[in-house]
Amino acid sequence: MTKKPRLYSKREPRLPVPSYRRRKSDKGFALRTLESADQRFAIVKELRRRLEQLREDAGCTTIQRDWLAARAVFVVARLESLEYDAVTGKKINWAEYCRATKVLSDLLRRLGLDPERKTTKRLRDYVLDAKKSKNGSNHD
């Protein structure tokens, strides 16, 4: 006599453990900010100094601008680390470097710190201005 294969186990099926349940080793979410970082480290002091200077230069008056300034300082630090690696002969991810540069540029533009572009005159406007100044000088 042969046994029939079971299509189910002896135990009832169970759902997987939800992702919100923490493991014993997991300490859970904790808000960690630059302000709460250990001030004895030189990198923390430097990042905070840069952040304060950027806040002052950008005239950060809202929390949103403060957040953008904090991201910009972090991106600059990452870019400098990548540049150091490149100079010392380590291989870097150039795509990451270019993306970070673009992100920094966008953040600074949003903060209002991008250099103003010089307005270029169209040839037509230049000729019209020249005619006006020439005609104006004849009437004097």
Side-chain angles (χ1 to χ4, degrees):
M1 184 168 141
T2 61
K3 286 187 176 181
K4 268 176 118 178
R6 284 188 167 204
L7 301 177
Y8 54 91
S9 68
K10 291 181 182 180
R11 293 185 228 148
E12 291 183 28
R14 296 180 184 209
L15 294 174
V17 177
S19 61
Y20 64 83
R21 287 204 181 166
R22 293 183 278 159
R23 291 183 221 141
K24 290 179 183 177
S25 63
D26 185 14
K27 304 231 191 263
F29 174 79
L31 181 62
R32 293 179 292 268
T33 62
L34 187 59
E35 283 79 21
S36 65
D38 192 352
Q39 298 300 310
R40 294 176 289 177
F41 293 108
I43 186 67
V44 174
K45 289 178 184 177
E46 178 64 19
L47 289 175
R48 288 195 67 184
R49 185 190 65 75
R50 289 179 179 188
L51 180 57
E52 287 305 315
Q53 185 175 357
L54 183 59
R55 283 177 178 161
E56 184 181 309
D57 291 347
C60 293
T61 56
T62 63
I63 189 73
Q64 295 88 345
R65 290 177 69 87
D66 281 344
W67 292 336
L68 288 175
R71 302 301 85 78
V73 167
F74 183 77
V75 171
V76 166
R78 180 65 182 144
L79 283 169
E80 288 176 345
S81 295
L82 287 171
E83 290 164 356
Y84 178 82
D85 288 347
V87 169
T88 57
K90 293 181 184 174
K91 196 172 186 178
I92 67 168
N93 183 347
W94 287 101
E96 177 187 358
Y97 180 82
C98 291
R99 278 193 305 268
T101 303
K102 173 72 171 135
V103 166
L104 178 61
S105 174
D106 290 345
L107 285 170
L108 294 177
R109 188 175 303 116
R110 298 261 183 210
L111 288 170
L113 295 174
D114 61 335
E116 293 183 25
R117 295 180 183 167
K118 292 182 179 178
T119 58
T120 56
K121 258 188 180 177
R122 295 179 140 183
L123 179 59
R124 179 176 170 242
D125 296 336
Y126 180 77
V127 170
L128 287 174
D129 287 344
K131 283 183 180 179
K132 285 180 185 177
S133 65
K134 187 176 180 182
N135 290 339
S137 64
N138 286 342
H139 293 307
D140 287 349

